[in-house]
Amino acid sequence: MKIPFLGGAYEGRSSNVAPQSCINWYYEKGKDGECLVGTPGATLFVDLGSQEVRGGIQYNGFAYFVMGSTLYEVNAAGTATSRGTLNTSSGRVYMAHNGVRTGATQEIFIADGSRRYIYDNTTSTLTSYTDYAATSVAFIDGYFLFTIADSDRIYYTDLYDGATVTATNFFTLEGNPDEALTVIADQRELFGFGDETLEVWYNSGDADDTFQRFQGGFKQIGCAARASPARFDNGIIWLTKNDRGDAMVAVLGEGYTPQIVSTPEINYQLSQYTTVSDAFGYTYQDEGHEFYVLTFPTEKKTWVFDASTREWHQRGHVIDGVFPNRERYNCHVFAFGKHLMGDYDNGKIYSLDGSIGTIESTRIPRERVSPDITDEEKRTRIMSFQLDMQEGTGDPNVSTDTSIWLSYSKDGGHTWTNEVERSIGDAGEYRKRIIWRRLGWSRHWIFKVRTWSPNAVIIKGAYTRVYGEPNG
């Protein structure tokens, strides 16, 4: 009998109601079936040093990263060149560029919360400006637009000239008395987030009033974390806040109507966090999926929403001996046909690789906990539990290469049996059956599967044989 085993991460306030965890697997539903796919591993692309990678951007055939206080230019071969230093050495940075313009100014604007910086790509020079403490930046229609600390103003530079800011070139998020927390541009529209409100602006072409707010472009919903907004699935996604509460994830699409996409279970998890203001989000597309990755550094958690399935899962790596922890990645840049991820701690840039289950040879643990399979009217005797998956992927020369473990709960996820190991199968063992037998009696069954195989791991489903059923 096939049981409901596949799905997302929906561990709620009570394991009796919502016990599901899905760590380092994501749900995929195709034309011919469904499965859990292991999140990608990664290989080292370039090592920039020993401090956190604070942000990055792809521009004009290069990838640029800020590691510590240094701006690095990285080419397709993974060679890094220092291009200048910032006034700060920690904390997130925000970056935007003014496009590839042959024979004209080519610039990257960097905001670190203390000042603003312009990197001139034509002269390879980084210049620091102390006039404004820029806290975020976006680019539309030839203008850099940026927020500054403790202000409701959004400033904009001269046309294609990030170095020049006229003191009167600003507009105000004035629909509600609110700080202009962050800006993000999408489809030639500027989204200005305050603590408790959101305003949508556009370039009107008016010489005296260049940027104007859309009619209906004011929403009484703001942003709980400056670095959480990102472009996503033809819209904007972010961690919300308003005058009634915070910490839900919303998507803003056509019509400027926010839609909450975090489930009650995810909302419950986020509500337990003491700090959400340092959360940051990034998005990337891979193998037909578009993911929004939201990390809470203080809480050491990473949650991921998939646009294609509308399912959530959790990601995490072993950090300081703790699992699940947050994922190591601090930022994402798509360059040279690769997903490049900057490490939060050690200055390394990784390249995602879906064919492996390791990060620079360190294994990625994975866990799946099923829904509660309940029959209150009678106890069920389960003779066997079989995992249907891609078998025969292991290395016969590595003793733990194929290990996968099962434990189960009979009391709503409050206690668990000891784990029992089985083998996924060495390379070529494509008919390997992964079965655990004699599980016993219960009215409530919850199954937990774990592995840290260094290979790609795909689960197609799970089956149980109840006492009295024929043994296939």
Side-chain angles (χ1 to χ4, degrees), residues 187-465:
Q187 302 183 57
R188 294 190 63 235
E189 297 173 349
L190 186 79
F191 298 82
F193 289 91
D195 276 331
E196 298 177 357
T197 59
L198 165 64
E199 299 187 17
V200 187
W201 292 69
Y202 70 102
N203 179 4
S204 69
D206 189 310
D208 297 321
D209 194 11
T210 305
F211 289 92
Q212 299 180 17
R213 191 172 68 200
F214 274 103
Q215 185 71 23
F218 174 84
K219 298 297 175 182
Q220 205 78 40
I221 184 171
C223 184
R226 186 193 308 276
S228 66
R231 287 192 291 267
F232 180 73
D233 195 26
N234 293 317
I236 302 294
I237 190 168
W238 78 103
L239 186 67
T240 68
K241 178 183 178 182
N242 58 30
D243 58 359
R244 300 179 297 279
D246 63 4
M248 294 191 292
V249 178
V251 169
L252 190 74
E254 293 183 6
Y256 310 125
T257 301
Q259 301 291 330
I260 301 298
V261 295
S262 50
T263 65
E265 295 83 5
I266 298 295
N267 293 335
Y268 170 75
Q269 295 294 333
L270 303 188
S271 74
Q272 302 305 295
Y273 296 167
T274 58
T275 302
V276 299
S277 59
D278 61 352
F280 65 90
Y282 66 86
T283 56
Y284 75 99
Q285 296 177 349
D286 191 41
E287 298 179 351
H289 295 263
E290 183 167 3
F291 297 110
Y292 174 58
V293 185
L294 183 63
T295 294
F296 297 82
T298 298
E299 306 298 332
K300 300 179 180 180
K301 299 291 184 183
T302 298
W303 295 94
V304 184
F305 181 63
D306 185 346
S308 65
T309 62
R310 318 304 284 183
E311 295 273 6
W312 286 85
H313 65 275
Q314 190 176 350
R315 299 191 186 185
H317 301 143
V318 179
I319 300 175
D320 298 328
V322 176
F323 177 81
N325 210 310
R326 58 165 287 180
E327 67 170 16
R328 297 201 65 90
Y329 311 137
N330 218 34
C331 64
H332 164 264
V333 173
F334 185 66
F336 324 122
K338 304 175 185 291
H339 294 290
L340 303 180
M341 324 297 285
D343 196 284
Y344 84 104
D345 180 58
N346 60 23
K348 294 181 178 181
I349 308 295
Y350 308 100
S351 175
L352 290 189
D353 185 344
S355 68
I356 58 176
T358 59
I359 300 177
E360 201 185 3
S361 300
T362 299
R363 298 188 182 198
I364 301 174
R366 309 184 192 279
E367 176 185 288
R368 171 61 181 162
V369 175
S370 75
D372 189 346
I373 303 167
T374 301
D375 189 344
E376 287 288 1
E377 294 183 354
K378 63 179 181 180
R379 294 196 303 160
T380 302
R381 182 181 179 184
I382 293 183
M383 302 299 294
S384 65
F385 174 92
Q386 179 173 348
L387 202 60
D388 184 14
M389 61 186 301
Q390 180 177 320
E391 300 91 353
T393 61
D395 183 346
N397 299 313
V398 182
S399 60
T400 60
D401 196 61
T402 66
S403 298
I404 192 164
W405 289 265
L406 173 73
S407 60
Y408 48 91
S409 174
K410 299 180 179 182
D411 57 9
H414 297 284
T415 61
W416 296 86
T417 64
N418 293 330
E419 292 183 314
V420 178
E421 181 185 2
R422 291 290 184 267
S423 172
I424 298 172
D426 289 331
E429 292 186 298
Y430 302 126
R431 295 187 179 183
K432 179 80 174 179
R433 299 181 71 196
I434 307 165
I435 302 176
W436 293 262
R437 304 186 189 277
R438 299 179 182 178
L439 275 61
W441 294 86
S442 183
R443 288 185 173 85
H444 297 267
W445 291 94
I446 303 176
F447 299 97
K448 180 192 294 184
V449 170
R450 293 195 312 116
T451 185
W452 52 79
S453 170
N455 307 301
V457 182
I458 298 174
I459 295 178
K460 297 166 58 181
Y463 297 81
T464 59
R465 185 169 69 88

